[in-house]
Amino acid sequence: MMLRPLPLAPLSAALSMLARRVVTRHPGLLRRLGAHDRARFLIDPTDLPLVLCLEPRGGQVRVTAHRQAPRADVRIAGPLAALLGLVHGAYDGDALFFSRDLVIEGDTAAALALRNAIDDAELDLAEELTALPPVLAGALRRAIALAERRTGVALTRVAEGPAW
């Protein structure tokens, strides 16, 4: 697996920076978390050799990568494609949960608050990444498109169909 030798400190720093950028661009995320803005969310991509701990900390967002799961208020686990698909609106969280492709353990109210906050923000991680300086944006867009084609993982928000 390619991620095993990856040093976790730089990955954590980069993910924290991305998370802070997302919160700055979408301040409603923290408001929607309400009382859960101090919860520790363990995001467990079951097909990767690491877990992520998301701590909103009332606006001082931190994301840390770990080889072993730290203590958290809620654990949200599933394949990386499913977790990213949830962020981008490509998959229905209820369907993934009832099909057991998504596992939620611990404070389910916190998990639901996070899901609702992400749904309302209509996040597009590729768009967040390409908000970098223009010099990097073009190359990054091409890399994202290639990664989506090769992996089948949704890295961009799914365009919604016409209203009925």
Side-chain angles (χ1 to χ4, degrees), residues 17-148:
M17 187 180 311
L18 175 62
R20 287 184 195 116
R21 174 188 300 265
V22 167
V23 167
T24 298
R25 291 169 50 106
H26 304 276
L29 274 166
L30 292 176
R31 283 193 302 276
R32 281 289 280 174
L33 283 177
H36 304 288
D37 72 341
R38 300 271 178 195
R40 294 183 80 193
F41 298 88
L42 187 67
I43 310 301
D44 184 357
T46 56
D47 48 353
L48 294 181
L50 56 83
V51 296
L52 303 174
C53 185
L54 167 65
E55 298 175 84
R57 302 184 323 167
Q60 300 301 312
V61 182
R62 182 172 75 170
V63 179
T64 51
H66 304 268
R67 302 237 187 265
Q68 299 294 321
R71 184 195 62 74
D73 298 300
V74 62
R75 174 178 172 257
I76 303 167
L80 179 62
L83 296 170
L84 288 172
L86 283 171
V87 170
H88 295 118
Y91 300 128
D92 177 79
D94 293 335
L96 287 173
F97 178 77
F98 289 114
S99 68
R100 297 193 173 132
D101 290 317
L102 183 69
V103 174
I104 299 171
E105 298 172 339
D107 187 346
T108 55
L112 186 58
L114 179 63
R115 173 191 165 187
N116 290 340
I118 290 171
D119 283 350
D120 283 356
E122 296 185 353
L123 296 178
D124 185 329
L125 292 178
E127 184 65 30
E128 299 300 331
L129 289 169
T130 58
L132 296 171
V135 171
L136 301 174
L140 194 48
R141 277 192 198 98
R142 289 188 296 279
I144 289 167
L146 177 64
E148 283 183 320

